[in-house]
Amino acid sequence: MTIAVVAAMHEELGALLAQMPDEQRVQVAGRDFWVGHLHGQPVVAVLSRIGKVAAALTATVLLERFKVRAIVFTGVAGGLAPGVRVGDVVVATKLLQHDLDASPIFPRYEVPLTGHARFAVDTAIGDALAAAAAEVLRDPVGLLGPQVVEDFGLAAPRVHRGLLVSGDRFVSTAAESAVLRRDLPDALAVEMEGAAVAQVCHDYGVPFAAVRTISDRADDEAHGDFTRFVSAVASRYSLALVDAWLATLPAQ
Ligand code: ADE
């Protein structure tokens, strides 16, 4: 059965799509679903577009139309925790929607009627992605070339595992990220889709995992070299990571 690899923007998935030898495009709801193989594994790769609704819709199509057996979300995130730097990789253990608040009817962050605020990822896929990330980050110069490593200061990237938070906001002020750090002190990084997909996968009982490259510190400089970073660094990290992970799976 097929595995889905999802990212929000083209630049985040570009390198991976280029590696799929036999991909065929299927259009649903204005999105291109690329159906093919990577490392002999049946894969469907898709750009969700940006934000929680776009991501939830994409996940639902993947589950209903393509009957995927797991969804992995990749791309970029803004670092929140102090040691989470540009060029590091965060492998989620849990995901939460930081802008969801139905209090006082339900506790803040809780998805009403589910009893959950934090949605856990599939442990086996999370472990495998973390191992793949450690492998990929061992040689940033080999992967990205010396100039990119120097330009973005990526000499010693690290892998982190923990809470990833999602919301319909690009966090681009130091004041806003300080509030997130205060309210969610264990959050490692912030993005705009993962927790929505985690919720949909939870409802369907299908494994989910998320791995994000840190593109910015979610502060006043967050938008700086964003686009260049995504295509020069995050896209290659995504491909290398997903590639290393798929290579470990039993042949289909
Ligand atoms: N994705 C990458 N950087 C981000 C940020 N600062 N806020 C939200 N999503 C992001």
Side-chain angles (χ1 to χ4, degrees):
M1 267 167 79
T2 306
I3 290 168
V5 180
V6 191
M9 296 158 58
H10 179 73
E11 294 81 358
E12 294 171 310
L13 215 54
L16 190 130
L17 287 173
Q19 291 296 311
M20 288 173 65
D22 60 341
E23 85 273 20
Q24 292 199 352
R25 187 177 66 160
V26 179
Q27 281 191 308
V28 184
R31 286 150 176 80
D32 293 334
F33 293 77
W34 297 96
V35 182
H37 290 81
L38 260 179
H39 277 293
Q41 297 289 334
V43 165
V44 49
V46 60
L47 306 174
S48 64
R49 302 184 184 161
I50 296 169
K52 294 194 298 177
V53 174
L57 177 140
T58 306
T60 309
V61 172
L62 285 167
L63 293 161
E64 287 287 347
R65 287 269 189 116
F66 295 90
K67 306 290 179 204
V68 297
R69 68 177 161 114
I71 298 182
V72 171
F73 211 108
T74 184
V76 290
L80 287 176
V84 179
R85 302 204 176 88
V86 171
D88 288 0
V89 167
V90 169
V91 181
T93 53
K94 296 201 167 162
L95 296 99
L96 167 149
Q97 296 175 47
H98 68 76
D99 57 353
L100 178 52
D101 187 356
S103 63
I105 324 267
F106 296 94
R108 187 175 183 193
Y109 306 123
E110 188 170 300
V111 178
L113 309 177
T114 66
H116 297 289
R118 294 167 183 239
F119 288 80
V121 305
D122 181 84
T123 316
I125 302 179
D127 287 350
L129 286 172
E135 191 60 42
V136 165
L137 294 196
R138 199 161 290 157
D139 181 16
V141 174
L143 189 66
L144 307 170
Q147 194 61 53
V148 172
V149 168
E150 193 188 316
D151 288 355
F152 290 102
L154 307 175
R158 294 173 55 202
V159 181
H160 309 267
R161 291 187 83 180
L163 180 67
L164 194 57
V165 298
S166 314
D168 283 318
R169 296 184 60 79
F170 186 84
V171 180
S172 58
T173 66
E176 191 175 348
S177 56
V179 169
L180 283 172
R181 262 191 298 279
R182 181 198 68 200
D183 292 348
L184 293 161
D186 60 335
L188 296 180
V190 59
E191 37 84 311
M192 301 180 67
E193 297 86 15
V197 179
Q199 180 183 336
V200 172
C201 286
H202 170 267
D203 287 354
Y204 276 85
V206 169
F208 170 74
V211 56
R212 296 275 192 168
T213 305
I214 301 302
S215 55
D216 57 83
R217 281 288 305 165
D219 58 13
D220 301 340
E221 275 100 57
H223 60 286
D225 266 349
F226 183 78
T227 314
R228 191 169 157 244
F229 181 91
V230 174
S231 34
V233 181
S235 167
R236 299 210 205 146
Y237 274 9
S238 292
L239 168 63
L241 270 159
V242 171
D243 205 55
W245 167 57
L246 290 176
T248 66
L249 298 181
Q252 289 276 308

